[in-house]
């Protein structure tokens, strides 16, 4: 027997679709009207509704949505409504998670508010998404100058220092230390020394988001991203087996300068000795 309920069901479904299209159309018209009146907050709310109801319109309304977001964010910033500003960007990035322009704009707001490490993360993501995005590259280099201490460059160009570390790590690995933890890895140079010396397992932790991202790039450029496990963590927060599978046989670190107070070198080494380092028998 034919299904007597099929036609009413189709009618209801068709009615819902027609209702959705009508709501989307009206919301788009309202958003445009609000933009004309420079009511950016209401326009932004209408675009959110449109994009949630009709994700197929993401490409066609993208530029107008970005414009509306940025104008509304400027107003929120001027009103010191910081949490609302961040909420808007989080909503936008849920809709456009791989949009380099939105990531860069979010980073600019964070940088102006003093959240430089977090800003660097968004600038870095924007550059990764579009390596030719000049504004994002300029912003990333600018924030890096704030965050990457000058002594990093001095150390990396100190051939005598690097050779001394390399020989010491090679001696330790050759003596049987096959698993290594690098505390405060920075650019990742000591971790790479350990891997090149023959260590089977190398783990590296870095608290700074900027330095962590930089280490990832350096390690990847040296084709060691599968051989060195990088952790965006303070060493005191490393847990076994959550972050590393077992205690290591060697800890390397050079957390001097400001890191002496930020990472807490004494506490870090005590923690490593008690919880992360294999004890001598």
């Amino acid at each position: 027997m034919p299904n007597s309920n099929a036609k009413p069901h189709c009618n209801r479904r068709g009615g819902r679709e027609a209702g959705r299209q009508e709501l989307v159309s009206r919301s788009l018209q309202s958003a445009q009207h609000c933009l004309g009146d420079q009511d950016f907050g209401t326009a932004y709310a209408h675009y959110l509704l449109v994009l949630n109801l009709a994700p197929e319109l993401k490409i066609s309304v993208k530029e107008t949505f970005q414009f509306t977001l940025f104008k509304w964010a400027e107003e929120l910033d001027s009103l010191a409504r910081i949490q609302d500003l961040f909420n808007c960007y989080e909503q936008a990035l849920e809709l456009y998670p791989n949009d380099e322009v939105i990531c860069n704009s979010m980073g600019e707001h964070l940088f102006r508010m003093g959240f430089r490490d977090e800003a660097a993360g968004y600038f870095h993501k924007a550059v990764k998404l579009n390596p030719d995005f000049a504004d994002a590259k300029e912003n990333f280099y600018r924030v890096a100058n704030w965050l990457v201490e000058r002594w990093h460059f001095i150390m990396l160009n100190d051939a005598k220092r690097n050779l001394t570390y390399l020989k010491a790590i090679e001696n330790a690995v050759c003596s049987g230390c096959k698993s290594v933890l690098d505390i405060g890895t920075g650019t990742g140079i000591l971790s790479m020394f350990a891997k090149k010396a023959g260590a089977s397992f190398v783990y590296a932790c870095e608290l700074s988001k900027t330095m962590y991202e930089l280490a990832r790039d350096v390690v990847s450029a040296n084709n060691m991203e599968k051989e060195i496990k990088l952790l965006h963590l303070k060493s005191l927060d490393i847990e076994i087996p959550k972050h590393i599978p077992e205690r290591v046989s060697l800890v390397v670190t050079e957390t001097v300068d400001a890191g002496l107070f930020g990472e807490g070198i004494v506490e870090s080494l005590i923690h490593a000795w008690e919880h992360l380092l294999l004890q001598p028998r």
Side-chain angles (χ1 to χ4, degrees):
M1 293 180 63
N3 187 353
S4 58
N5 294 324
K7 189 171 181 179
H9 178 72
C10 290
N11 288 339
R12 286 197 299 271
R13 186 169 57 187
R16 286 197 298 268
E17 177 60 21
R20 182 186 74 92
Q21 292 181 1
E22 176 67 18
L23 182 56
V24 168
S25 177
R26 289 187 178 183
S27 294
L28 281 173
Q29 292 175 7
S30 296
Q32 290 296 325
H33 179 75
C34 290
L35 285 178
D37 292 340
Q38 295 191 341
D39 182 0
F40 300 114
T42 306
Y44 175 77
H46 280 299
Y47 276 119
L48 278 184
L49 178 61
V50 167
L51 290 168
N52 278 287
L53 286 175
E56 66 273 13
L57 297 179
K58 281 184 179 180
I59 296 176
S60 61
V61 304
K62 179 179 177 179
E63 289 188 8
T64 311
F65 174 76
Q66 288 175 344
F67 172 81
T68 307
L69 167 67
F70 300 155
K71 286 294 186 180
W72 179 225
E74 288 176 7
E75 284 191 24
L76 292 173
D77 194 5
S78 68
L79 296 170
R81 292 171 57 183
I82 306 305
Q83 189 57 56
D84 289 335
L85 186 153
F86 287 154
N87 289 342
C88 286
Y89 273 97
E90 287 175 1
Q91 291 166 339
L93 286 170
E94 285 180 4
L95 292 167
Y96 297 96
N98 295 318
D99 188 288
E100 69 274 19
V101 178
I102 295 177
C103 286
N104 183 65
S105 181
M106 177 65 159
E108 289 176 337
H109 281 287
L110 287 165
F111 184 79
R112 285 196 295 270
M113 294 172 191
F115 301 106
R116 292 176 181 140
D117 205 25
E118 292 82 355
Y122 281 97
F123 293 145
H124 184 266
K125 181 178 179 180
V127 173
K128 284 288 188 182
L129 289 168
N130 182 1
D132 297 324
F133 189 5
D135 287 349
K137 287 197 291 186
E138 181 180 345
N139 284 332
F140 181 70
Y141 295 144
R142 178 168 53 126
V143 75
N145 283 331
W146 285 89
L147 294 171
V148 180
E149 295 86 346
R150 293 296 183 268
W151 51 267
H152 269 291
F153 302 108
I154 297 172
M155 290 193 307
L156 290 173
N157 288 282
D158 186 342
K160 183 178 179 180
R161 162 199 168 274
N162 293 338
L163 183 59
T164 300
Y165 265 98
L166 176 58
K167 287 183 177 179
I169 291 172
E170 285 178 343
N171 289 338
V173 172
C174 290
S175 298
C177 297
K178 296 301 183 182
S179 56
V180 180
L181 171 64
D182 180 7
I183 295 177
T185 192
T187 59
I189 187 170
L190 299 186
S191 295
M192 291 188 291
F193 282 171
K195 194 63 195 177
K196 287 181 178 179
S200 302
F201 305 100
V202 180
Y203 312 98
C205 64
E206 175 56 54
L207 181 60
S208 165
K209 177 67 172 176
T210 303
M211 294 307 301
Y212 167 74
E213 295 289 356
L214 180 59
R216 288 182 60 186
D217 287 345
V218 172
V219 168
S220 178
N222 284 272
N223 299 314
M224 293 187 180
E225 66 271 20
K226 295 182 180 179
E227 300 175 313
I228 298 173
K229 182 176 181 180
L230 288 165
L231 303 166
H232 180 216
L233 286 172
K234 192 173 183 178
S235 60
L236 297 175
D237 295 331
I238 295 177
E239 299 177 13
I240 297 172
K242 181 178 179 181
H243 301 115
I244 60 177
E246 57 188 4
R247 292 181 179 228
V248 297
S249 52
L250 176 66
V251 170
V252 296
T253 187
E254 194 177 15
T255 42
V256 294
D257 196 84
L260 179 64
F261 306 101
E263 172 71 11
I265 184 61
V266 176
E267 291 85 351
S268 297
L269 292 179
I270 290 174
H271 176 75
W273 175 260
E274 293 179 345
H275 302 285
L276 307 175
L277 188 65
L278 288 170
Q279 301 299 311
R281 295 181 179 178

